[in-house]
């Protein structure tokens, strides 16, 4: 691939950037590069017998019903359900007239690439606001349905992303950006909160709050259950150290401040007794729930911190419900508003609570549950009794599967937890998919992944590592893997790999690694640091250019996690591990599959393009191992990706791993 002479000076260090021209996704040269990569990659993957064999079985594993946790308002219930192989889940409604389809996103495009991202049911249950994304873009449009008739109203709101929708009286609050070309890779700025009245044009929407002096700050606006207060969550970058503003909707509507941004997590659960119930980690790295009075008085602890992290909390069914994390799986506890513990809410087993839905004034709590084996299931809890709202049996017999919890010891002596999943009859060592993420407070809990089940049946083992950078052990665990500590995440992952080899589960030849987005950065960096340790590598939608990521679309939000190369200290640690800048000539790297998508506006494709081109150039055509880039069309970072594309992609990924993990 052509190398240009583009370069930059970072604090006295000259850095060559020969593939900068790939940053323009619309240029003829970039399009030719993509076509040339796919012309090699797609036939290669199609030629692997493991891909064809897995595709059939993955589709069978995927063909199980999956249901989200419903929304319930005024006797009206709305939920999403996928029969199995539908490209997009269908939205159903149940009210006094019965159960019926309300919205079928599969009718919005021929190939299933238009997806519904967010929904919000009005308090009286008469209208459903929803947002749609095309081809996986973060950009969304909002529409409104009449629930009784299913007809779409004329309202259309544009330039939305990263926003909830919250109803109040004859309309709803939302946040949006100024008008921008959706194809632009320029960062979006100057988000503002608006109020939209049903039946009006978007340019008539009332501006509620903006902060032009800090154009990078974003907002999420939600109305408390009693309809009295508008709560505006104020965020900057991906940090969870949110600020909180509020306005009294029954008064003059002045926007006042409850908590400053940048100090700690603050997430308002409900208005109660002249104050707000707030989930926070201020002076409590594992989280707690407090009551913060509006008069500035003393903050009172309601749910205290414990050794189990509070990952999330909700006010519902007349109580506070918290999701606690123990050994990277979820447990539900409930408390009254005074802080008295009311007991646990039982779950079907070791798994994840992907959703909690309910209102303080309603008696029921809806739970979205799943595990490594159980597909997404909706549970309904009321008065101490948990019932199945909708769910399906696992497509793989749980009695055949062994799920173990083990720990590796990292370079600093810390224990790093890891799930290891296999069939009881699988002979060890075996082909292993070691999966990791390690960043942005994101936890890896047991989630349903049909392709993994097919991989297990084919004789593979799945390992999921809970690395630093996540929140499995609280904010301290997260901070130990961010900014200048990022190398610790890579060390944790390497320790997990070595643990699998020491325990006889894998050999270096049979050990594969996979990760996406920040996890794609992880696998790329670790491959470069320890090419001897892995038999194959999959890096999906990766971040690889750590010096220029912040100049494109959502990248500016990540500086709180990674740092910015314009800072001399941050440049040193970024340059030391940035995958693009650490490719070495003459090194025998393991077989590599890099995946991206042409309309990914979260982690733009230039990261994958530059990294692949640099590795191919370094190999000089002499590598015995494939260095491949797979570029998906009409798809983005993963948001709303249709089932058909997910099955094809999964077959390519796990078929590639099986083919190369033979030792």
């Amino acid at each position: 691939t052509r190398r240009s002479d583009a370069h930059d000076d970072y604090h006295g260090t000259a850095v060559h950037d020969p593939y900068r021209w790939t940053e323009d996704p619309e240029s003829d040269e970039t399009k030719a590069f993509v076509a040339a990569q796919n012309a090699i990659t797609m036939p290669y993957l199609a030629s692997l017998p493991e891909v064809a064999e897995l595709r059939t079985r993955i589709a069978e594993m995927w063909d199980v019903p999956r249901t989200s946790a419903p929304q319930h308002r005024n006797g009206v219930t709305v939920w999403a359900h996928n029969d199995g192989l539908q490209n997009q889940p269908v939205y159903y409604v149940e009210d006094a007239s019965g159960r019926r389809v309300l919205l079928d996103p599969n009718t919005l495009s021929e190939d299933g690439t238009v997806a519904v991202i967010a929904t919000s049911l009005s308090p009286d249950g008469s209208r459903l606001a929803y947002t749609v994304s095309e081809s996986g873009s973060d950009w969304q449009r909002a529409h409104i349905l009449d629930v009784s008739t299913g007809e779409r109203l004329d309202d259309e709101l544009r330039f939305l992303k990263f926003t909830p929708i919250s109803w109040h009286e004859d309309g709803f609050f939302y946040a949006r950006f100024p008008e921008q070309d959706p194809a632009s890779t320029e960062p979006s700025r100057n988000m503002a909160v608006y109020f939209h009245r049903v039946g009006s044009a978007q340019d008539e929407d009332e501006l509620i709050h903006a902060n032009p002096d800090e154009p990078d700050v974003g907002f999420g606006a939600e109305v408390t259950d009693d309809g009295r207060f508008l709560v505006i969550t104020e965020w900057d970058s991906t940090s969870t150290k949110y600020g909180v503003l509020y306005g009294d909707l029954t008064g003059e509507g002045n926007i006042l401040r409850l908590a400053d941004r940048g100090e700690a997590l603050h997430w308002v659960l409900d208005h109660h007794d002249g104050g707000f119930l707030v989930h926070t980690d201020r002076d409590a790295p594992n989280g707690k729930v407090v009551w913060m009075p509006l008069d500035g008085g003393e903050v009172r602890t309601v749910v205290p911190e414990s050794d189990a992290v509070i990952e999330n909390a909700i006010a519902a069914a007349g109580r506070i419900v918290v999701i606690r994390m123990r050994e990277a799986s979820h447990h539900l506890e409930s408390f009254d508003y005074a802080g008295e513990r009311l007991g646990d809410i039982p779950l079907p087993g070791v798994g994840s609570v992907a959703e909690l839905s309910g209102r303080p004034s309603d008696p029921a709590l809806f739970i979205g549950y799943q595990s490594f084996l159980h597909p997404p299931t909706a549970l309904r809890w009321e008065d101490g009794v948990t019932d199945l709202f909708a769910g399906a049996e696992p497509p793989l017999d749980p009695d055949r599967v062994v799920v173990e919890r083990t720990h590796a010891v990292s370079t600093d002596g810390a224990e790093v937890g890891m799930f290891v999943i296999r069939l009881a009859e699988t002979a060890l060592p075996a082909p292993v998919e070691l999966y990791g993420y390690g960043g942005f407070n994101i936890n890896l809990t047991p989630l349903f992944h049909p392709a993994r089940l097919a991989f297990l049946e084919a004789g593979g083992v799945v390992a999921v590592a809970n690395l630093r950078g996540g929140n499995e052990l609280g904010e301290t665990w997260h901070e130990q893997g961010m900014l200048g500590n990022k190398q610790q995440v890579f060390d944790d992952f390497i320790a997990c790999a070595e643990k699998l080899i020491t325990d006889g589960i894998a050999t270096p030849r049979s050990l594969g690694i996979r990760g996406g987005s920040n996890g794609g950065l992880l696998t790329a960096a670790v491959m470069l640091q320890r090419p001897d340790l892995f038999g194959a590598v999959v890096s999906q939608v990766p971040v690889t250019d750590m010096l220029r990521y912040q100049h494109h679309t959502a990248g500016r939000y990540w500086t709180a996690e990674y740092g910015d190369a314009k800072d001399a200290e941050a440049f040193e640690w970024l340059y030391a591990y940035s995958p693009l800048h650490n490719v070495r000539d003459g090194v025998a790297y393991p077989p590599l599959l890099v995946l991206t998508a042409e309309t990914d506006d979260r982690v733009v494709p230039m990261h994958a393009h530059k990294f692949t081109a640099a590795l191919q150039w370094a190999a000089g055509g002499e590598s015995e191992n494939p260095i491949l880039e797979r570029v998906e069309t009409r798809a983005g970072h993963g948001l709303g990706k249709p089932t058909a594309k997910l099955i094809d992609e999964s077959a390519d990924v796990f078929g590639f791993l099986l083919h190369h993990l033979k030792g």
Side-chain angles (χ1 to χ4, degrees):
T1 301
R2 180 180 73 85
R3 293 166 65 86
S4 76
D5 61 358
H7 65 278
D8 296 290
D9 183 284
Y10 291 93
H11 315 286
T13 299
V15 179
H16 191 200
D17 190 10
Y19 306 112
R20 183 171 297 177
W21 50 267
T22 65
E23 294 182 6
D24 180 2
E26 299 302 316
S27 75
D28 290 341
E29 190 171 20
T30 300
K31 291 178 179 179
F33 172 88
V34 169
Q37 295 292 340
N38 275 344
I40 296 171
T41 300
M42 296 308 191
Y44 175 85
L45 294 171
S47 73
L48 302 181
E50 295 87 351
V51 169
E53 293 166 4
L54 278 178
R55 181 175 282 108
T56 300
R57 189 58 178 138
I58 288 172
E60 293 172 349
M61 292 288 192
W62 222 292
D63 194 10
V64 294
R66 302 179 297 280
T67 306
S68 70
Q71 300 176 56
H72 181 79
R73 302 287 187 272
N74 193 35
V76 178
T77 306
V78 173
W79 69 97
H81 175 81
N82 193 315
D83 287 341
L85 295 179
Q86 292 169 299
N87 274 321
Q88 299 294 339
V90 176
Y91 287 81
Y92 290 82
V93 61
E94 187 170 57
D95 55 19
S97 62
R99 179 178 295 193
R100 61 192 180 277
V101 172
L102 178 61
L103 172 64
D104 185 355
N106 297 290
T107 65
L108 302 179
S109 62
E110 292 184 1
D111 59 359
T113 55
V114 174
V116 171
I117 304 303
T119 60
S120 180
L121 186 61
S122 63
D124 64 1
S126 67
R127 295 189 173 103
L128 181 78
Y130 65 97
T131 66
V132 295
S133 162
E134 295 184 13
S135 302
S137 174
D138 280 337
W139 288 110
Q140 298 164 39
R141 301 188 314 276
H143 302 283
I144 304 172
L145 286 181
D146 183 307
V147 172
S148 63
T149 66
E151 294 181 1
R152 197 179 89 179
L153 307 185
D154 292 335
D155 307 56
E156 179 178 85
L157 310 182
R158 303 175 64 205
F159 311 114
L160 281 65
K161 55 181 171 180
F162 316 134
T163 179
I165 290 174
S166 190
W167 287 90
H168 179 64
E169 296 181 346
D170 60 347
F172 54 76
F173 295 95
Y174 72 103
R176 69 172 174 88
F177 291 94
E179 183 173 349
Q180 181 177 339
D181 179 2
S184 171
T185 63
E186 289 295 313
S188 304
R189 291 187 164 88
N190 290 299
M191 196 180 201
V193 176
Y194 290 84
F195 182 76
H196 175 76
R197 286 181 171 80
V198 175
S200 63
Q202 186 175 18
D203 58 11
E204 298 174 355
D205 289 354
E206 179 185 356
L207 174 64
I208 302 299
H209 182 72
N211 185 356
D213 293 333
E214 296 183 281
D216 287 343
V217 174
F219 308 101
E222 299 193 61
V223 179
T224 55
D225 184 62
D226 58 10
R228 179 173 175 183
F229 288 98
L230 174 68
V231 175
I232 299 175
T233 301
E234 183 186 50
W235 48 270
D236 184 6
S237 75
T238 53
S239 171
T240 57
K241 299 181 187 298
Y242 305 134
V244 178
L245 309 168
Y246 69 95
D248 189 340
L249 296 173
T250 65
E252 297 181 358
N254 294 329
I255 303 298
L256 305 174
R257 181 168 293 280
L258 181 73
D260 290 331
R261 188 177 74 253
E263 294 185 354
L265 166 71
H266 292 94
W267 188 261
V268 173
L269 308 182
D270 194 18
H271 167 237
H272 172 65
D273 193 26
F276 291 116
L277 293 167
V278 180
H279 174 206
T280 183
D281 61 7
R282 180 186 289 275
D283 302 321
N286 287 356
K288 61 184 177 182
V289 177
V290 300
W291 177 77
M292 299 181 68
L294 301 185
D295 61 7
E298 183 179 356
V299 175
R300 183 177 74 244
T301 296
V302 179
V303 179
E305 182 185 26
S306 77
D307 59 354
V309 174
I310 297 178
E311 184 180 88
N312 202 353
I314 185 175
R319 62 191 61 207
I320 300 166
V321 180
V322 300
I323 303 176
R324 292 227 191 247
M325 178 85 60
R326 294 189 180 92
E327 286 292 347
S329 64
H330 288 154
H331 303 261
L332 293 180
E333 290 182 88
S334 66
F335 301 79
D336 68 16
Y337 279 16
E340 181 180 349
R341 191 177 188 279
L342 301 177
D344 294 338
I345 296 176
L347 297 172
V350 175
S352 302
V353 176
E355 303 167 283
L356 285 178
S357 175
R359 305 176 69 192
S361 54
D362 286 342
L365 170 73
F366 291 98
I367 304 163
Y369 169 83
Q370 59 182 293
S371 73
F372 290 123
L373 300 176
H374 291 80
T377 297
L379 306 172
R380 185 180 188 274
W381 181 88
E382 184 175 354
D383 292 333
V385 178
T386 301
D387 295 317
L388 178 67
F389 179 84
E393 292 298 315
L396 186 61
D397 182 0
D399 290 338
R400 298 178 59 196
V401 182
V402 177
V403 179
E404 298 175 315
R405 185 72 176 163
T406 187
H407 295 82
V409 178
S410 193
T411 50
D412 63 349
E415 289 192 347
V416 180
M418 179 168 49
F419 290 105
V420 179
I421 308 103
R422 58 182 173 85
L423 297 189
E425 66 264 28
T426 297
L428 301 176
V432 174
E433 177 225 10
L434 172 58
Y435 184 82
Y437 188 81
F440 296 96
N441 276 299
I442 292 176
N443 300 322
L444 295 187
T445 58
L447 297 178
F448 182 73
H449 193 318
R452 279 180 169 160
L453 303 185
F455 183 71
L456 295 180
E457 275 195 338
V461 175
V462 172
V464 179
N466 301 115
L467 313 172
R468 243 73 68 98
N471 194 43
E472 290 91 344
L473 294 175
E475 178 58 19
T476 301
W477 191 251
H478 169 224
E479 291 175 353
Q480 289 174 358
M482 63 186 292
L483 297 174
N485 298 324
K486 189 67 175 177
Q487 180 59 43
Q488 188 63 63
V489 181
F490 310 142
D491 292 345
D492 288 358
F493 201 52
I494 290 169
C496 289
E498 291 175 332
K499 171 71 171 175
L500 292 168
I501 294 170
T502 300
D503 288 352
I505 296 169
T507 68
R509 183 70 181 82
S510 75
L511 179 58
I513 54 174
R514 183 175 74 89
S517 194
N518 175 74
L521 160 63
L522 168 72
T523 55
V526 168
M527 179 193 76
L528 298 178
Q529 293 181 17
R530 287 295 305 275
D532 60 304
L533 198 55
F534 311 110
V537 177
V538 175
S539 184
Q540 296 177 258
V541 290
V543 186
T544 69
D545 186 346
M546 302 310 297
L547 303 186
R548 289 183 55 79
Y549 74 86
Q550 68 275 24
H551 301 305
H552 301 273
T553 59
R556 67 180 175 83
Y557 294 130
W558 314 333
T559 56
E561 185 78 12
Y562 295 141
D564 191 328
K566 70 181 181 183
D567 174 75
E569 182 183 12
F571 167 73
E572 293 296 331
W573 72 60
L574 290 166
Y575 194 45
Y577 73 77
S578 176
L580 178 63
H581 303 97
N582 283 277
V583 174
R584 292 172 288 164
D585 294 343
V587 175
Y589 292 114
L592 171 67
L593 177 61
V594 179
L595 296 92
T596 187
E598 64 178 4
T599 51
D600 188 343
D601 53 9
R602 183 81 59 86
V603 178
V604 291
M606 72 91 174
H607 287 279
H609 299 341
K610 288 184 177 184
F611 187 54
T612 303
L615 283 162
Q616 290 171 344
W617 182 271
E622 300 299 325
S623 174
E624 295 182 1
N625 294 325
I627 302 168
L628 303 172
E629 181 179 3
R630 181 189 189 276
V631 185
E632 183 65 85
T633 58
R634 286 185 59 76
H637 197 60
L639 192 70
K641 186 174 288 186
T643 297
K645 287 184 180 291
L646 289 171
I647 291 173
D648 286 344
E649 179 182 287
S650 297
D652 286 347
V653 165
F654 285 92
F656 177 85
L657 289 174
L658 271 181
H659 181 77
H660 289 287
L661 301 178
K662 300 294 188 182

